[in-house]
Amino acid sequence: MTETNVHAAPPPNLYTARVDSVRHFTDKLFGFTCERPAALRFRSGEFVMIGLMNGERPLLRAYSIASPSWDDQLAFYSIKAPNGPLTSRLQNIRPGDEILLGRKPTGTLVLDALTPGRRLFLLSTGTGVAPFASLIREPETYARYEQVFLTHTCRTQPELEYSREIVSAACKDPLVGEEATRQLRYITSLTRGDHALEGRITALIQNGALFDALQANPFDPAYDRIMICGGAPMLQDLKQIAVAAGFVEGANHEPGTFVIERAFAG
């Protein structure tokens, strides 16, 4: 048992879950899976509070669930913040350790927060790709949209490894593999390194390079729907671009033509 294990009894509003696997992608990024409590229900794209006990109190942070709603395991993707109260400890978890899980997943990066459309754009930077790892393995995504475009922008090449793996897994998935292979388009870009597509996602949208790379028409609110997840500056910049193009922000209680995850907006 490692020092990150839960020793004190967790509050009644939290589950404990055993860590099944841990994968370190870079010195700043890691992913892990854990058992799914039998009573935990969520919609693909939602986030949940996860964490560890800190003395007698839980230390929690919102994390997007990177596995689909039907999966028996829960998957997460995280940065390693050396001075982060939680991630500085969470990055040291090992299989067999226990973590804490909130009992009430929530969030706006869900299909129900969007009105019907033909094309779905999933725009992400860094670990913001995690909720889309869930959605590209969700059968309803392909039932609702003819085309699904996943973009992932990072600084350096190794940081793209996670999204490459989740797209490959989706295309091989027994449940959605045929649909993902046919309907999912995946494009990557880098801000600090040589790559086929270079620059911030905002610039690539504004100068048309993203649509040229996808061989697709620019955004049209008449039939396009957009989900956005990443750092706070990126969220605000892409929100401005979407609104200027005629898109209307949606929510669970009032679906629209684009959504951002406000829990991570800062």
Side-chain angles (χ1 to χ4, degrees):
M1 303 293 278
T2 69
E3 64 180 5
T4 53
N5 270 16
V6 178
H7 295 293
N13 63 329
L14 298 172
Y15 295 111
T16 59
R18 186 189 66 254
V19 175
D20 292 329
S21 67
V22 182
R23 169 87 181 275
H24 294 272
F25 290 89
T26 72
D27 60 348
K28 297 179 180 178
L29 296 166
F30 74 107
F32 63 94
T33 63
C34 68
E35 62 183 350
R36 177 177 178 172
L40 183 67
R41 298 288 181 269
F42 67 93
R43 295 174 296 172
S44 294
E46 288 189 316
F47 69 87
V48 69
M49 303 302 292
I50 71 171
L52 300 166
M53 290 301 293
N54 184 29
E56 296 299 314
R57 294 186 178 184
L59 184 60
L60 303 169
R61 178 173 174 253
Y63 272 81
S64 293
I65 303 172
S67 44
S69 60
W70 52 265
D71 205 324
D72 291 335
Q73 273 191 328
L74 298 177
F76 299 95
Y77 185 47
S78 177
I79 60 170
K80 301 178 186 180
N83 299 316
L86 177 59
T87 58
S88 62
R89 295 176 56 203
L90 194 64
Q91 64 183 305
N92 296 317
I93 58 173
R94 299 176 184 176
D97 287 350
E98 288 185 336
I99 63 168
L100 303 174
L101 287 171
R103 291 177 178 263
K104 294 184 178 180
T106 187
T108 50
L109 295 179
V110 293
L111 297 173
D112 291 343
L114 293 173
T115 55
R118 282 168 35 202
R119 303 193 306 181
L120 176 63
F121 284 84
L122 307 174
L123 309 179
S124 69
T125 59
T127 55
V129 75
F132 303 147
S134 173
L135 284 161
I136 63 173
R137 289 179 61 208
E138 171 56 59
E140 190 67 18
T141 300
Y142 303 103
R144 294 194 185 199
Y145 296 95
E146 297 172 16
Q147 292 180 295
V148 180
F149 299 102
L150 171 64
T151 78
H152 191 207
T153 300
C154 294
R155 293 169 300 175
T156 62
Q157 195 74 232
E159 296 173 0
L160 296 174
E161 184 62 25
Y162 178 80
S163 62
R164 290 195 181 106
E165 290 194 4
I166 62 168
V167 170
S168 176
C171 291
K172 297 174 183 176
D173 193 294
L175 188 61
V176 300
E178 290 185 16
E179 292 81 359
T181 301
R182 184 173 60 248
Q183 296 167 243
L184 176 63
R185 294 286 304 282
Y186 165 62
I187 195 82
T188 60
S189 61
L190 292 180
T191 58
R192 298 181 190 175
D194 295 333
H195 201 62
L197 202 58
E198 298 176 6
R200 298 179 69 230
I201 186 64
T202 46
L204 298 175
I205 291 170
Q206 291 171 321
N207 65 24
L210 173 66
F211 305 104
D212 290 341
L214 288 170
Q215 297 182 318
N217 292 326
F219 293 145
D220 185 336
Y223 57 85
D224 289 336
R225 301 296 176 260
I226 304 172
M227 291 185 173
I228 307 166
C229 194
M234 171 266 204
L235 290 176
Q236 294 307 315
D237 290 347
L238 285 185
K239 177 179 177 177
Q240 291 179 3
I241 290 173
V243 170
F247 289 81
V248 177
E249 187 172 1
N252 282 288
H253 65 280
E254 190 173 352
T257 50
F258 86 97
V259 288
I260 66 173
E261 187 46 81
R262 292 191 168 276
F264 309 126

